[in-house]
Coordinates of all heavy atoms in Angstrom, one line a residue:
M1 N -15.6 -6.0 19.2 CA -14.4 -5.9 18.4 C -13.4 -6.9 18.8 O -13.1 -7.1 20.0 CB -13.8 -4.4 18.5 CG -12.6 -4.2 17.8 SD -11.9 -2.6 18.0 CE -13.2 -1.5 17.5
S2 N -12.7 -7.6 17.8 CA -11.7 -8.6 18.2 C -10.4 -7.8 18.5 O -10.2 -6.7 18.0 CB -11.5 -9.5 17.0 OG -11.1 -8.9 15.9
V3 N -9.6 -8.5 19.2 CA -8.3 -7.9 19.6 C -7.3 -8.5 18.6 O -7.0 -9.7 18.7 CB -8.0 -8.2 21.0 CG1 -6.7 -7.6 21.4 CG2 -9.1 -7.6 22.0
D4 N -6.5 -7.6 18.1 CA -5.4 -8.0 17.1 C -4.1 -8.0 17.9 O -3.7 -6.8 18.2 CB -5.4 -7.2 15.9 CG -4.4 -7.6 14.9 OD1 -3.5 -8.5 15.3 OD2 -4.5 -7.2 13.7
K5 N -3.6 -9.0 18.4 CA -2.5 -8.9 19.3 C -1.1 -8.6 18.6 O -0.2 -8.3 19.2 CB -2.3 -10.3 20.0 CG -3.5 -10.5 21.1 CD -3.3 -11.6 21.9 CE -4.4 -11.7 22.9 NZ -4.8 -13.0 23.5
N6 N -1.1 -8.8 17.2 CA 0.0 -8.5 16.5 C -0.4 -7.6 15.3 O -0.4 -8.0 14.2 CB 0.7 -9.9 15.9 CG 1.2 -10.7 17.1 OD1 2.0 -10.3 17.9 ND2 0.7 -12.0 17.1
P7 N -0.7 -6.4 15.6 CA -1.1 -5.5 14.5 C 0.0 -5.3 13.5 O 1.2 -5.3 13.8 CB -1.4 -4.2 15.3 CG -0.8 -4.3 16.5 CD -0.6 -5.7 16.9
T8 N -0.4 -5.1 12.3 CA 0.5 -4.9 11.2 C 0.3 -3.4 10.7 O -0.8 -3.0 10.7 CB 0.2 -5.9 10.0 OG1 0.2 -7.2 10.6 CG2 1.1 -5.6 8.9
I9 N 1.4 -2.8 10.3 CA 1.3 -1.5 9.7 C 1.3 -1.7 8.2 O 2.3 -2.1 7.7 CB 2.4 -0.5 10.1 CG1 2.4 -0.4 11.6 CG2 2.2 0.8 9.5 CD1 3.7 0.4 12.1
F10 N 0.3 -1.3 7.5 CA 0.3 -1.3 6.0 C 0.5 0.2 5.6 O 0.3 1.1 6.5 CB -1.1 -1.8 5.4 CG -1.3 -3.2 5.8 CD1 -2.3 -3.6 6.7 CD2 -0.6 -4.2 5.3 CE1 -2.6 -4.9 7.0 CE2 -0.8 -5.5 5.5 CZ -1.8 -5.9 6.4
T11 N 0.7 0.4 4.4 CA 0.8 1.8 3.9 C -0.4 2.2 3.2 O -1.0 1.5 2.4 CB 2.0 1.9 2.9 OG1 3.2 1.5 3.5 CG2 2.1 3.3 2.4
G12 N -1.0 3.4 3.7 CA -2.2 3.8 3.1 C -1.9 5.2 2.3 O -0.9 5.9 2.7
F13 N -2.7 5.4 1.3 CA -2.6 6.6 0.5 C -4.1 7.1 0.4 O -5.0 6.4 0.0 CB -2.0 6.3 -0.9 CG -0.6 5.9 -0.9 CD1 -0.2 4.6 -1.0 CD2 0.4 6.9 -0.8 CE1 1.1 4.3 -1.0 CE2 1.8 6.5 -0.8 CZ 2.1 5.2 -0.8
A14 N -4.2 8.5 0.6 CA -5.4 9.1 0.5 C -5.4 10.1 -0.7 O -4.6 11.0 -0.7 CB -5.8 9.8 1.9
E15 N -6.3 9.8 -1.6 CA -6.3 10.7 -2.8 C -7.2 11.8 -2.5 O -7.9 11.8 -1.5 CB -6.9 9.8 -4.0 CG -6.1 8.7 -4.4 CD -4.6 9.1 -4.9 OE1 -4.4 10.3 -5.1 OE2 -3.9 8.1 -5.2
P16 N -7.1 12.9 -3.2 CA -6.6 13.0 -4.5 C -5.1 13.3 -4.6 O -4.5 13.2 -5.7 CB -7.4 14.2 -5.1 CG -7.7 15.1 -4.0 CD -7.9 14.2 -2.8
D17 N -4.4 13.6 -3.5 CA -3.0 13.9 -3.6 C -2.1 12.9 -3.0 O -1.0 13.3 -2.6 CB -2.7 15.4 -3.1 CG -3.5 15.6 -1.8 OD1 -4.1 14.7 -1.3 OD2 -3.4 16.8 -1.3
A18 N -2.6 11.7 -2.8 CA -1.7 10.7 -2.4 C -1.0 10.9 -1.0 O 0.2 10.6 -0.8 CB -0.6 10.3 -3.5
R19 N -1.9 11.5 -0.1 CA -1.3 11.7 1.2 C -1.0 10.3 1.8 O -2.0 9.5 1.9 CB -2.2 12.5 2.1 CG -2.3 14.1 1.5 CD -3.6 14.6 2.0 NE -4.7 14.2 1.5 CZ -5.9 14.4 1.9 NH1 -6.2 15.3 2.9 NH2 -7.0 13.9 1.3
Q20 N 0.1 10.1 2.4 CA 0.5 8.8 2.9 C 0.2 8.7 4.4 O 0.3 9.7 5.2 CB 1.9 8.5 2.7 CG 2.3 7.1 3.1 CD 3.8 6.8 2.6 OE1 4.3 7.4 1.7 NE2 4.4 5.9 3.3
F21 N -0.3 7.5 4.9 CA -0.5 7.4 6.4 C -0.2 5.9 6.7 O -0.2 5.0 5.8 CB -1.9 7.8 6.7 CG -3.0 7.0 6.1 CD1 -3.6 5.8 6.8 CD2 -3.5 7.2 4.8 CE1 -4.6 5.1 6.1 CE2 -4.4 6.5 4.2 CZ -5.1 5.4 4.8
D22 N 0.1 5.7 8.0 CA 0.2 4.3 8.5 C -1.2 3.7 8.7 O -1.9 4.3 9.5 CB 1.0 4.3 9.8 CG 2.4 4.7 9.7 OD1 3.0 4.6 8.6 OD2 3.0 5.2 10.7
A23 N -1.4 2.6 8.0 CA -2.8 1.9 8.1 C -2.6 0.7 8.9 O -2.2 -0.3 8.5 CB -3.2 1.5 6.7
W24 N -2.9 0.9 10.3 CA -2.8 -0.2 11.2 C -3.9 -1.2 11.1 O -5.1 -0.9 10.9 CB -2.9 0.3 12.6 CG -1.7 1.1 13.1 CD1 -1.5 2.5 12.9 CD2 -0.5 0.6 13.6 NE1 -0.2 2.7 13.4 CE2 0.4 1.6 13.9 CE3 -0.1 -0.7 14.1 CZ2 1.7 1.5 14.4 CZ3 1.1 -0.9 14.7 CH2 2.0 0.2 14.9
S25 N -3.6 -2.5 11.0 CA -4.5 -3.6 10.8 C -5.6 -3.7 12.0 O -6.6 -4.2 11.8 CB -3.7 -4.9 10.7 OG -3.1 -5.2 11.9
H26 N -5.3 -3.2 13.1 CA -6.1 -3.3 14.3 C -7.1 -2.2 14.5 O -7.9 -2.1 15.5 CB -5.3 -3.6 15.6 CG -4.6 -2.3 16.0 ND1 -3.6 -1.7 15.3 CD2 -4.7 -1.6 17.2 CE1 -3.2 -0.6 16.0 NE2 -3.8 -0.6 17.1
Q27 N -7.1 -1.2 13.7 CA -8.0 0.0 13.8 C -8.6 0.4 12.4 O -8.0 0.1 11.4 CB -7.3 1.1 14.5 CG -6.2 1.8 13.7 CD -5.6 2.9 14.6 OE1 -5.6 2.8 15.8 NE2 -4.9 3.8 13.9
P28 N -9.8 1.0 12.4 CA -10.4 1.4 11.2 C -9.5 2.5 10.4 O -8.7 3.2 11.1 CB -11.7 2.1 11.7 CG -12.0 1.5 13.0 CD -10.7 1.3 13.6
L29 N -9.6 2.4 9.2 CA -8.8 3.3 8.3 C -9.0 4.8 8.7 O -8.1 5.7 8.6 CB -9.3 3.1 6.8 CG -8.6 1.8 6.3 CD1 -9.3 1.5 4.9 CD2 -7.1 1.9 6.0
L30 N -10.2 5.1 9.0 CA -10.5 6.5 9.3 C -9.6 7.0 10.5 O -9.0 8.1 10.4 CB -12.0 6.8 9.7 CG -12.4 8.2 10.1 CD1 -12.2 9.1 9.0 CD2 -13.8 8.2 10.6
M31 N -9.5 6.2 11.6 CA -8.7 6.5 12.7 C -7.2 6.7 12.3 O -6.5 7.7 12.7 CB -8.9 5.5 13.7 CG -8.2 5.8 15.1 SD -8.5 4.5 16.4 CE -10.3 4.6 16.5
S32 N -6.8 5.7 11.4 CA -5.3 5.8 11.0 C -5.1 7.1 10.2 O -4.1 7.7 10.3 CB -5.0 4.5 10.2 OG -5.0 3.4 11.0
M33 N -6.1 7.4 9.3 CA -5.9 8.7 8.5 C -5.8 9.9 9.4 O -5.0 10.7 9.3 CB -7.1 8.8 7.5 CG -6.9 7.8 6.3 SD -8.0 8.3 5.0 CE -9.6 7.6 5.6
E34 N -6.7 10.0 10.4 CA -6.7 11.0 11.4 C -5.5 11.1 12.2 O -4.9 12.2 12.4 CB -8.0 11.0 12.3 CG -9.3 11.2 11.6 CD -10.5 11.0 12.4 OE1 -10.4 10.3 13.5 OE2 -11.5 11.4 12.0
Q35 N -5.0 9.9 12.5 CA -3.6 10.0 13.2 C -2.6 10.4 12.4 O -1.5 10.9 12.9 CB -3.4 8.6 13.8 CG -4.3 8.2 14.9 CD -4.1 6.8 15.5 OE1 -3.5 6.0 14.8 NE2 -4.7 6.5 16.6
G36 N -2.7 10.3 11.0 CA -1.7 10.8 10.1 C -1.9 12.2 9.7 O -1.3 12.6 8.8
G37 N -2.8 12.8 10.3 CA -3.1 14.3 10.0 C -4.0 14.5 8.8 O -4.1 15.6 8.4
I38 N -4.7 13.5 8.4 CA -5.5 13.6 7.2 C -7.0 13.9 7.7 O -7.5 13.1 8.5 CB -5.5 12.4 6.3 CG1 -4.1 12.2 5.7 CG2 -6.5 12.4 5.2 CD1 -3.8 10.9 5.1
D39 N -7.5 14.9 7.2 CA -8.9 15.3 7.6 C -9.9 14.8 6.7 O -10.1 15.2 5.5 CB -8.9 16.8 7.6 CG -10.4 17.3 8.2 OD1 -11.0 16.5 8.9 OD2 -10.7 18.5 7.9
W40 N -10.5 13.6 7.0 CA -11.3 12.9 6.0 C -12.8 13.1 6.5 O -13.0 13.1 7.7 CB -11.1 11.4 6.2 CG -11.5 10.6 4.9 CD1 -12.6 9.8 4.8 CD2 -10.8 10.5 3.7 NE1 -12.5 9.1 3.6 CE2 -11.6 9.6 2.8 CE3 -9.6 11.1 3.1 CZ2 -11.1 9.3 1.6 CZ3 -9.2 10.8 1.9 CH2 -10.0 9.9 1.1
P41 N -13.7 13.3 5.6 CA -15.1 13.5 6.1 C -15.7 12.4 7.0 O -15.5 11.2 6.6 CB -15.9 13.7 4.8 CG -14.9 14.1 3.8 CD -13.6 13.4 4.2
S42 N -16.3 12.7 8.0 CA -16.9 11.6 8.9 C -18.1 12.2 9.7 O -18.1 13.4 9.9 CB -15.9 10.9 9.7 OG -15.4 11.8 10.7
S43 N -18.9 11.3 10.2 CA -19.9 11.8 11.2 C -20.2 10.7 12.2 O -19.7 10.7 13.3 CB -21.2 12.2 10.4 OG -22.2 12.6 11.2
C44 N -21.0 9.7 11.8 CA -21.4 8.6 12.8 C -20.3 7.9 13.3 O -20.3 7.3 14.4 CB -22.5 7.8 12.2 SG -21.8 6.6 10.9
R45 N -19.3 7.5 12.5 CA -18.1 6.7 12.8 C -18.5 5.2 13.2 O -17.9 4.5 13.9 CB -17.3 7.3 13.9 CG -16.9 8.8 13.6 CD -16.2 9.4 14.7 NE -14.9 9.0 14.8 CZ -13.8 9.4 14.2 NH1 -14.0 10.6 13.3 NH2 -12.7 9.0 14.3
N46 N -19.7 4.7 12.8 CA -20.1 3.4 13.1 C -20.7 2.7 11.9 O -21.4 1.7 12.0 CB -21.1 3.4 14.2 CG -22.4 4.1 13.9 OD1 -22.8 4.3 12.8 ND2 -23.2 4.4 14.9
G47 N -20.5 3.3 10.6 CA -20.8 2.6 9.4 C -22.3 2.7 9.0 O -22.8 1.9 8.2
T48 N -23.0 3.8 9.4 CA -24.3 3.9 9.0 C -24.7 5.2 8.3 O -25.5 5.1 7.3 CB -25.3 3.9 10.3 OG1 -24.9 5.0 11.1 CG2 -25.3 2.6 11.0
C49 N -24.0 6.3 8.5 CA -24.3 7.6 7.8 C -23.8 7.8 6.4 O -24.3 8.5 5.6 CB -24.0 8.8 8.7 SG -22.2 9.1 8.6
R50 N -22.7 7.0 6.0 CA -22.1 7.1 4.8 C -21.4 8.4 4.4 O -21.0 8.6 3.3 CB -23.1 6.7 3.7 CG -23.7 5.3 3.8 CD -24.9 5.2 2.8 NE -24.7 5.4 1.5 CZ -24.4 4.5 0.5 NH1 -24.2 3.3 0.9 NH2 -24.1 4.9 -0.7
T51 N -21.1 9.2 5.5 CA -20.4 10.5 5.2 C -19.0 10.1 4.7 O -18.4 10.9 3.9 CB -20.4 11.3 6.5 OG1 -21.7 11.6 7.0 CG2 -19.6 12.5 6.4
C52 N -18.4 9.1 5.1 CA -17.0 8.7 4.9 C -16.9 7.9 3.6 O -15.8 7.5 3.2 CB -16.3 8.0 6.0 SG -17.1 6.4 6.4
F53 N -17.9 7.7 2.9 CA -18.1 6.8 1.7 C -16.9 7.1 0.8 O -16.7 8.2 0.3 CB -19.4 7.1 1.0 CG -19.8 6.2 -0.2 CD1 -20.1 4.9 0.1 CD2 -19.9 6.7 -1.4 CE1 -20.4 4.0 -0.9 CE2 -20.2 5.9 -2.5 CZ -20.5 4.5 -2.2
S54 N -16.2 5.9 0.4 CA -15.0 6.1 -0.3 C -14.8 4.9 -1.3 O -15.4 4.0 -1.2 CB -13.8 6.1 0.6 OG -13.8 7.1 1.6
K55 N -14.0 5.2 -2.3 CA -13.6 4.2 -3.3 C -12.3 3.5 -2.9 O -11.3 4.4 -2.7 CB -13.5 4.8 -4.7 CG -13.3 3.7 -5.7 CD -14.5 2.8 -6.1 CE -14.2 1.8 -7.1 NZ -14.3 2.2 -8.4
L56 N -12.2 2.3 -2.8 CA -10.9 1.6 -2.6 C -10.3 1.4 -3.8 O -10.6 0.5 -4.6 CB -11.1 0.3 -1.8 CG -10.0 -0.5 -1.3 CD1 -9.2 0.4 -0.3 CD2 -10.3 -1.8 -0.7
E57 N -9.3 2.2 -4.2 CA -8.7 2.1 -5.5 C -7.8 0.9 -5.6 O -7.6 0.4 -6.7 CB -7.9 3.4 -5.9 CG -8.8 4.7 -5.9 CD -9.7 4.8 -7.1 OE1 -9.7 3.9 -7.9 OE2 -10.5 5.7 -7.1
S58 N -7.2 0.6 -4.5 CA -6.4 -0.7 -4.5 C -6.3 -1.1 -3.0 O -6.5 -0.4 -2.1 CB -5.0 -0.4 -5.1 OG -4.3 0.5 -4.2
G59 N -6.0 -2.5 -2.8 CA -6.0 -3.0 -1.5 C -7.2 -3.8 -1.1 O -8.2 -3.9 -1.9
Q60 N -7.2 -4.3 0.1 CA -8.4 -5.1 0.6 C -8.6 -4.6 2.1 O -7.7 -4.2 2.8 CB -8.0 -6.6 0.7 CG -7.8 -7.1 -0.7 CD -7.5 -8.6 -0.7 OE1 -6.8 -9.1 0.2 NE2 -8.0 -9.4 -1.6
V61 N -9.9 -4.7 2.4 CA -10.3 -4.3 3.8 C -11.3 -5.4 4.3 O -11.7 -6.3 3.5 CB -11.0 -3.0 3.9 CG1 -10.2 -1.9 3.4 CG2 -12.4 -3.0 3.0
R62 N -11.4 -5.4 5.6 CA -12.3 -6.3 6.2 C -13.3 -5.5 7.2 O -12.9 -4.3 7.5 CB -11.7 -7.5 7.0 CG -10.9 -6.9 8.2 CD -10.1 -8.0 9.0 NE -9.2 -7.3 10.0 CZ -9.7 -7.0 11.2 NH1 -10.9 -7.2 11.5 NH2 -8.9 -6.4 12.0
Y63 N -14.4 -6.1 7.6 CA -15.3 -5.3 8.5 C -15.5 -6.3 9.7 O -15.5 -7.4 9.7 CB -16.5 -5.0 7.9 CG -16.5 -4.1 6.7 CD1 -16.3 -4.5 5.4 CD2 -16.5 -2.7 7.0 CE1 -16.3 -3.6 4.4 CE2 -16.4 -1.8 6.0 CZ -16.3 -2.2 4.6 OH -16.1 -1.3 3.6
E64 N -15.7 -5.6 10.9 CA -16.0 -6.3 12.1 C -17.5 -6.2 12.4 O -18.0 -7.0 13.4 CB -15.1 -5.9 13.3 CG -13.7 -6.2 13.1 CD -12.8 -6.0 14.3 OE1 -13.3 -5.4 15.3 OE2 -11.7 -6.5 14.3
I65 N -18.2 -5.4 11.7 CA -19.6 -5.4 11.8 C -20.2 -6.2 10.7 O -19.6 -6.2 9.5 CB -20.3 -3.9 11.8 CG1 -19.9 -3.2 10.7 CG2 -19.8 -3.3 13.1 CD1 -20.5 -1.8 10.6
E66 N -21.3 -6.8 10.9 CA -21.9 -7.8 9.9 C -22.2 -7.1 8.6 O -21.9 -7.6 7.6 CB -23.0 -8.6 10.5 CG -23.3 -9.8 9.6 CD -24.2 -10.7 10.5 OE1 -23.9 -10.9 11.7 OE2 -25.1 -11.3 9.9
W67 N -22.9 -5.9 8.6 CA -23.4 -5.4 7.4 C -23.2 -3.9 7.5 O -24.2 -3.2 7.8 CB -24.8 -5.8 7.2 CG -25.2 -5.5 5.8 CD1 -26.1 -4.5 5.3 CD2 -24.8 -6.1 4.7 NE1 -26.2 -4.5 4.0 CE2 -25.4 -5.5 3.5 CE3 -23.9 -7.1 4.3 CZ2 -25.2 -5.9 2.2 CZ3 -23.6 -7.6 3.1 CH2 -24.3 -6.9 2.0
P68 N -21.9 -3.4 7.1 CA -21.8 -1.9 7.1 C -22.8 -1.3 6.0 O -23.3 -2.0 5.2 CB -20.4 -1.8 6.7 CG -20.0 -3.0 6.0 CD -20.8 -4.1 6.7
G69 N -23.0 0.0 6.1 CA -24.0 0.6 5.3 C -23.7 0.8 3.8 O -23.6 1.8 3.2
L70 N -23.4 -0.4 3.3 CA -23.1 -0.5 1.9 C -23.9 -1.6 1.2 O -24.2 -2.6 1.9 CB -21.6 -1.0 1.6 CG -20.5 0.0 2.0 CD1 -19.1 -0.7 2.1 CD2 -20.4 1.2 1.2
S71 N -24.4 -1.4 0.0 CA -25.1 -2.4 -0.7 C -24.1 -3.4 -1.2 O -22.8 -3.1 -1.3 CB -25.9 -1.8 -1.9 OG -25.0 -1.5 -2.9
A72 N -24.6 -4.6 -1.5 CA -23.7 -5.7 -2.1 C -23.0 -5.2 -3.4 O -21.8 -5.5 -3.6 CB -24.5 -7.0 -2.3
E73 N -23.8 -4.4 -4.2 CA -23.3 -3.9 -5.4 C -22.1 -2.9 -5.1 O -21.1 -2.9 -5.9 CB -24.4 -3.3 -6.2 CG -24.1 -3.0 -7.6 CD -25.2 -2.5 -8.4 OE1 -25.7 -1.4 -8.2 OE2 -25.8 -3.4 -9.1
E74 N -22.3 -2.1 -4.2 CA -21.3 -1.0 -3.9 C -20.0 -1.7 -3.3 O -18.9 -1.4 -3.7 CB -21.8 -0.1 -2.8 CG -22.8 0.9 -3.3 CD -23.5 1.7 -2.2 OE1 -23.5 1.2 -1.0 OE2 -24.0 2.8 -2.5
K75 N -20.2 -2.8 -2.6 CA -19.0 -3.6 -2.1 C -18.3 -4.2 -3.3 O -17.1 -4.1 -3.4 CB -19.4 -4.7 -1.1 CG -19.7 -4.2 0.3 CD -20.2 -5.4 1.1 CE -19.9 -5.3 2.5 NZ -20.2 -6.4 3.3
E76 N -19.0 -4.8 -4.2 CA -18.4 -5.4 -5.4 C -17.7 -4.3 -6.3 O -16.6 -4.6 -6.9 CB -19.5 -6.1 -6.3 CG -19.8 -7.5 -5.8 CD -20.9 -8.1 -6.8 OE1 -20.9 -7.8 -7.9 OE2 -21.6 -8.9 -6.2
D77 N -18.3 -3.1 -6.2 CA -17.7 -2.1 -7.1 C -16.5 -1.4 -6.3 O -15.8 -0.5 -6.8 CB -18.6 -1.0 -7.4 CG -19.6 -1.6 -8.5 OD1 -19.4 -2.5 -9.2 OD2 -20.7 -0.9 -8.6
G78 N -16.2 -1.8 -5.1 CA -15.0 -1.4 -4.5 C -15.2 -0.2 -3.5 O -14.2 0.5 -3.0
Y79 N -16.4 0.1 -3.2 CA -16.7 1.1 -2.2 C -16.6 0.7 -0.8 O -16.9 -0.5 -0.5 CB -18.1 1.8 -2.5 CG -18.1 2.5 -3.8 CD1 -18.6 1.9 -4.9 CD2 -17.5 3.8 -3.9 CE1 -18.6 2.6 -6.2 CE2 -17.5 4.5 -5.2 CZ -18.1 3.8 -6.3 OH -18.1 4.5 -7.4
V80 N -16.0 1.5 0.1 CA -15.8 1.2 1.5 C -16.3 2.3 2.4 O -16.5 3.4 2.0 CB -14.4 0.9 1.7 CG1 -13.9 -0.4 0.8 CG2 -13.5 2.0 1.4
L81 N -16.4 2.0 3.7 CA -16.7 3.0 4.7 C -15.5 2.9 5.6 O -15.4 2.1 6.5 CB -17.9 2.7 5.5 CG -19.2 2.7 4.5 CD1 -20.5 2.2 5.4 CD2 -19.5 4.1 4.0
P82 N -14.6 3.8 5.5 CA -13.3 3.8 6.2 C -13.4 3.9 7.8 O -12.6 3.5 8.5 CB -12.6 5.1 5.7 CG -13.1 5.4 4.4 CD -14.6 4.9 4.5
C83 N -14.6 4.3 8.2 CA -14.8 4.4 9.7 C -15.0 3.1 10.3 O -14.8 2.9 11.5 CB -16.0 5.4 10.1 SG -17.6 4.7 9.6
V84 N -15.3 2.1 9.5 CA -15.4 0.7 10.1 C -14.7 -0.4 9.2 O -14.8 -1.6 9.4 CB -16.9 0.3 10.2 CG1 -17.6 1.0 11.3 CG2 -17.7 0.5 8.8
A85 N -13.8 0.1 8.3 CA -13.1 -0.8 7.5 C -11.6 -0.9 7.9 O -10.9 0.1 8.2 CB -13.1 -0.3 6.0
Y86 N -11.2 -2.2 8.2 CA -9.9 -2.4 8.6 C -9.0 -2.9 7.5 O -9.5 -3.7 6.7 CB -9.9 -3.5 9.7 CG -10.6 -3.2 11.0 CD1 -12.0 -3.0 11.0 CD2 -10.0 -2.9 12.1 CE1 -12.7 -2.7 12.1 CE2 -10.6 -2.5 13.3 CZ -12.0 -2.5 13.3 OH -12.6 -2.1 14.5
P87 N -7.8 -2.3 7.3 CA -7.0 -2.8 6.2 C -6.4 -4.2 6.3 O -6.1 -4.6 7.4 CB -5.9 -1.7 6.2 CG -5.7 -1.3 7.6 CD -7.1 -1.4 8.2
C88 N -6.3 -4.9 5.2 CA -5.7 -6.3 5.1 C -4.5 -6.2 4.2 O -3.9 -7.3 4.0 CB -6.7 -7.3 4.7 SG -8.3 -7.4 5.5
S89 N -4.1 -5.0 3.7 CA -3.0 -4.9 2.8 C -2.8 -3.4 2.7 O -3.5 -2.5 3.3 CB -3.5 -5.4 1.4 OG -4.5 -4.5 0.9
D90 N -1.8 -3.0 1.9 CA -1.6 -1.6 1.6 C -2.9 -1.1 0.9 O -3.6 -1.9 0.1 CB -0.5 -1.3 0.7 CG 0.9 -1.7 1.3 OD1 0.9 -1.7 2.6 OD2 1.9 -1.9 0.7
V91 N -3.3 0.2 1.1 CA -4.6 0.6 0.5 C -4.4 2.0 -0.1 O -3.5 2.7 0.3 CB -5.7 0.7 1.6 CG1 -6.1 -0.7 2.1 CG2 -5.4 1.6 2.7
R92 N -5.2 2.2 -1.2 CA -5.4 3.6 -1.7 C -6.8 3.9 -1.7 O -7.6 3.2 -2.3 CB -4.8 3.6 -3.1 CG -4.7 4.9 -3.7 CD -4.0 4.8 -5.1 NE -2.6 4.6 -4.9 CZ -1.6 5.4 -4.7 NH1 -1.8 6.7 -4.7 NH2 -0.3 4.9 -4.6
L93 N -7.1 5.0 -1.2 CA -8.6 5.4 -1.0 C -8.8 6.7 -1.7 O -8.0 7.7 -1.6 CB -8.9 5.7 0.5 CG -9.1 4.5 1.4 CD1 -9.3 5.1 2.9 CD2 -10.3 3.8 1.0
D94 N -9.9 6.9 -2.2 CA -10.4 8.1 -2.9 C -11.8 8.5 -2.3 O -12.7 7.6 -2.3 CB -10.4 8.0 -4.3 CG -10.4 9.4 -5.0 OD1 -10.3 10.5 -4.3 OD2 -10.3 9.4 -6.2
Y95 N -12.0 9.7 -1.9 CA -13.2 10.1 -1.3 C -14.3 10.1 -2.4 O -14.1 10.6 -3.5 CB -13.1 11.5 -0.6 CG -14.4 11.8 0.1 CD1 -14.9 11.1 1.2 CD2 -15.2 12.9 -0.4 CE1 -16.1 11.4 1.8 CE2 -16.4 13.2 0.2 CZ -16.9 12.5 1.3 OH -18.0 12.8 1.9
A96 N -15.5 9.4 -2.1 CA -16.5 9.2 -3.1 C -17.8 9.9 -2.6 O -18.8 9.7 -3.2 CB -16.7 7.8 -3.5
G97 N -17.8 10.5 -1.4 CA -19.1 11.0 -0.9 C -19.5 12.3 -1.6 O -18.8 12.7 -2.6
F98 N -20.4 13.0 -1.1 CA -21.0 14.1 -1.8 C -20.8 15.4 -0.9 O -20.8 15.3 0.4 CB -22.5 14.0 -2.1 CG -22.7 12.8 -2.9 CD1 -23.1 11.6 -2.4 CD2 -22.4 12.9 -4.3 CE1 -23.4 10.5 -3.2 CE2 -22.6 11.8 -5.1 CZ -23.1 10.6 -4.6
Ligands
LIG101 S1 -18.7 8.1 9.4 FE1 -20.7 7.4 9.1 S2 -20.5 5.7 7.8 FE2 -18.5 6.4 8.1

């Protein structure tokens, strides 16, 4: 994991009821949501199980692992894994798991 010496706070919204949280650039979205009191489904927390599978309704994320458990098509369609996705902007997430 790279060290972000100047982390940025973006604004995150977790649907369906637009719960707001501080989305820090230096940590995965899942961790920021939990720190904001949002209970988001998760299990492995390393990008493999897809329990946290979500739709990025707006914003941009980056990954520090080479290939999180998403297909290229899912990535293109805006799906993300918040346990390993780091925000690069304000974000709006909607849970898309089962
Ligand atoms: S918690 Fe397993 S992929 Fe996110």
Side-chain angles (χ1 to χ4, degrees):
M1 180 184 296
S2 67
V3 177
D4 187 344
K5 293 187 175 156
N6 296 303
T8 302
I9 304 176
F10 298 112
T11 300
F13 292 97
E15 299 295 354
D17 47 2
R19 290 163 292 171
Q20 187 173 337
F21 63 97
D22 291 338
W24 287 89
S25 62
H26 70 300
Q27 67 184 23
L29 285 168
L30 178 65
M31 189 177 297
S32 291
M33 285 193 284
E34 289 173 342
Q35 288 173 348
I38 296 169
D39 186 21
W40 204 257
S42 68
S43 182
C44 73
R45 307 176 75 89
N46 65 17
T48 57
C49 76
R50 296 168 56 96
T51 301
C52 65
F53 189 66
S54 303
K55 181 78 184 275
L56 187 64
E57 300 290 352
S58 64
Q60 295 181 323
V61 300
R62 64 182 175 83
Y63 294 95
E64 292 193 345
I65 58 175
E66 195 160 321
W67 195 250
L70 294 168
S71 69
E73 193 171 78
E74 287 170 337
K75 280 177 148 181
E76 274 181 31
D77 288 344
Y79 291 98
V80 298
L81 295 175
C83 67
V84 288
Y86 294 73
C88 303
S89 68
D90 293 345
V91 295
R92 185 174 295 271
L93 284 174
D94 200 357
Y95 184 65
F98 303 102

